[in-house]
Amino acid sequence: MKMKSHTRREFIKATALAAAGVSFAGPLVSRIRAAEPDRKIGFALAGLGNLSTHQLAPALQKTKYCRLTGIVTGHPAKAERWKAQYHIPDKNVYNYDNMVTMADNPDIDVVYVVTPNALHGEHSIKAAKAGKHVLCEKPMEVSVEKCQQIIDACKRAGRQLAIGYRLHFEPNNLECVRLAREKVFGDLRMVEAGFGYAIGDPTQWRLKRDLAGGGPLMDVGIYALQAARYLSGEEPVLVSAIETKTDPVKFKEVEETITWQMKFPGGMVAHCDTTYAFNGLNHFTGHAPGGWFRLDPAFSYHGLHGQRSDKLEINLPDLDQFAAEMDDFAQCLLNHRPTRVPGEEGLRDVKIMMAIYEAARTGKTVSLA
Ligand code: NAD
C-alpha cells in the first residue's frame, strides 16, 4: 500500500533538522533584492568535475531562485565548453588563483565549492574573502581545524555558509525523520545504516590521503553517519570501529572497508558500514519497540523508497535533490534566514569521523562526550 502523500513543507516542518545559527545573509543580496524582487541568486561552481557536470549544472537549470552565472576552473579548455553551453561571459570565468577578484563581480552571490575534499578549505576561504556566500560540498574538509577555519572566514566576511547535505531536502529521508521524531513506532533503539560502492580507477584523488582525507568513510560513509544523527536527533557520545583491507596496494593510503558503532545519550545505538570494495550497500533501518522503518536505497540521487513494519510503503515522489538544496540556500539568503545545513553541521561530522578513525586505529572505544 502506498503511503498517503504529505507535502514537502510538512516534512520539513516535522523535522528537527533546522540547525541553530545566525543569518549571515549579506547586505549585497538584500539591497539587490529590494531593488529587483525577481532577481535570482547567482551561483559560481568551483571545480567542474563529475558532480558539477552531471548534477549541479543541470540542477541549476531547474531551480526557481538560482542561476548559473560563473565558473572557477584550472582548465581553460573546460572553461570554453562551459562558457558555450551555459552562456557564461568571459568576465565570470575564474581560476583558483584569481577567484578573490570576484569581489567586484555582482553577478556572483554564492560560490559552490565542488573540488576534492582537502581543497574545500582553501577554495571556501577564498570565496568568503571575495565577499561571497559559500555552499561547500561534503565532507566539509579533512580536519576539524580546517572546518573551523572555513566557519571563521565566513563569519568574518559576514557571509552565510552551507554544506551540500542534499538528503536534508529529500522527502523519503525526511519522512523517516518524521517517523522517528513523532515516535510512530516508539523511541528509536537502533539504527543500522550503510553506504558504499566498488571504486574504479586506482589513480583517482579519492584514493589519495592528501586530497581525500580518508577513504569511503569521508566519501559516502558520511551519509550513514548523517542518517544515524538525523534519525536519532542526538549526537553520539561513544564510538568504536573496525577496519579491514583485502587490497593493500589499491588502498595503500586510505581505508577499504570500515564498520563502526555509536552510542547516543538517549540509549540508542547505531551500527554503520562503508566500503570501496563492492556495490549494493545503500540503506538504513530504524528499529523501535513498536516496529521498524527502512529505506533501501536510502542515499541515491533518485528512486529512494522503503518499507515499514506495518506494511505501509515509503515511496514519496522524487525531486532533484541538488535543485532543492540550492533553492533552499538561495531562499535563506533572500529571506535572511539561517540554513538548516550550516558549517557547524559539517564540522560535527568531521569530528565524529576523526573519532571513528581513532577507534579503528587504536582498537579502543573513543568518547565524544
Ligand atoms: P571530480 O574528481 O569529478 O571533480 C573534482 C574537480 O576538482 C575536477 O574538475 C578537478 O579538475 C578539480 N580540481 C581542482 N584542483 C584539483 C586538484 N588539485 N586535484 C584534483 N582535482 C582538482 O570529483 P567529484 O565527484 O565532482 O567530487 C567533488 C566533490 O564533491 C567532493 O568533495 C565530493 O565528496 C563531492 N561530491 C558530493 C556528492 C553529493 O552527492 N553531494 C556527490 C559526488 C561528489
Side-chain angles (χ1 to χ4, degrees), residues 147-169:
C147 293
Q148 191 60 53
Q149 286 167 12
I150 301 176
I151 293 171
D152 293 346
C154 290
K155 279 202 173 133
R156 256 196 312 275
R159 292 296 176 261
Q160 194 162 175
L161 165 65
I163 308 302
Y165 286 130
R166 58 186 165 80
L167 292 170
H168 286 233
F169 307 91

Side-chain angles (χ1 to χ4, degrees), residues 17 92 94 147 150 262 264 275 312:
L17 295 172
N92 293 1
Y94 295 87
C147 293
I150 301 176
M262 296 181 287
F264 290 78
T275 187
L312 290 178

Side-chain angles (χ1 to χ4, degrees), residues 46-56 72-75 78 96 112-120 123 136-140 164-167 195 197 204-206 211 218-220 222-223 299-301 321-322 325:
L48 307 180
N50 276 314
L51 187 67
S52 289
T53 304
H54 301 299
Q55 304 300 330
L56 301 181
V72 182
T73 176
H75 301 275
K78 231 189 246 181
Y96 299 105
Y112 194 158
V113 176
V114 204
T115 47
N117 306 343
L119 302 176
H120 290 178
H123 299 146
C136 174
E137 258 310 327
K138 46 54 62 180
M140 184 174 175
Y165 286 130
R166 58 186 165 80
L167 292 170
F195 195 18
Y197 65 98
Q204 63 187 289
W205 65 261
R206 280 183 165 80
L211 283 173
M218 300 290 278
D219 189 16
V220 287
I222 190 171
Y223 288 96
F299 307 119
S300 310
Y301 299 152
Q321 298 167 23
F322 294 103
E325 166 202 290

Side-chain angles (χ1 to χ4, degrees), residues 198-203 207 216 243-257 275-278:
I199 200 161
D201 178 10
T203 66
L207 296 171
E243 188 195 332
T244 182
K245 205 170 275 198
T246 63
D247 186 342
V249 177
K250 185 167 187 178
F251 301 104
K252 186 163 175 258
E253 298 186 27
V254 301
E255 77 278 6
E256 176 183 333
T257 297
T275 187
Y276 271 161
F278 55 87

Side-chain angles (χ1 to χ4, degrees), residues 8 12 33 38-43 56 58-68 110 112 135 160 162 166 169 319-341:
R8 189 171 154 261
I12 291 171
R33 180 75 177 155
D38 296 329
R39 184 181 180 276
K40 293 183 173 189
I41 294 292
F43 273 67
L56 301 181
L60 275 160
Q61 315 309 309
K62 300 181 205 161
T63 53
K64 262 174 88 175
Y65 305 104
C66 316
R67 63 193 181 109
L68 175 58
V110 173
Y112 194 158
L135 180 47
Q160 194 162 175
R166 58 186 165 80
F169 307 91
L319 53 69
D320 187 312
Q321 298 167 23
F322 294 103
E325 166 202 290
M326 289 188 277
D327 262 342
D328 186 81
F329 194 44
Q331 285 177 283
C332 288
L333 301 177
L334 292 167
N335 300 318
H336 311 286
R337 65 170 165 78
T339 168
R340 79 184 73 164
V341 284

Side-chain angles (χ1 to χ4, degrees), residues 285-296:
T285 305
H287 297 275
W292 51 264
F293 55 86
R294 167 180 305 144
L295 283 189
D296 189 348

Side-chain angles (χ1 to χ4, degrees), residues 297-313:
F299 307 119
S300 310
Y301 299 152
H302 298 288
L304 307 191
H305 61 86
Q307 295 79 37
R308 302 165 33 154
S309 54
D310 56 9
K311 309 270 191 256
L312 290 178
E313 258 184 67

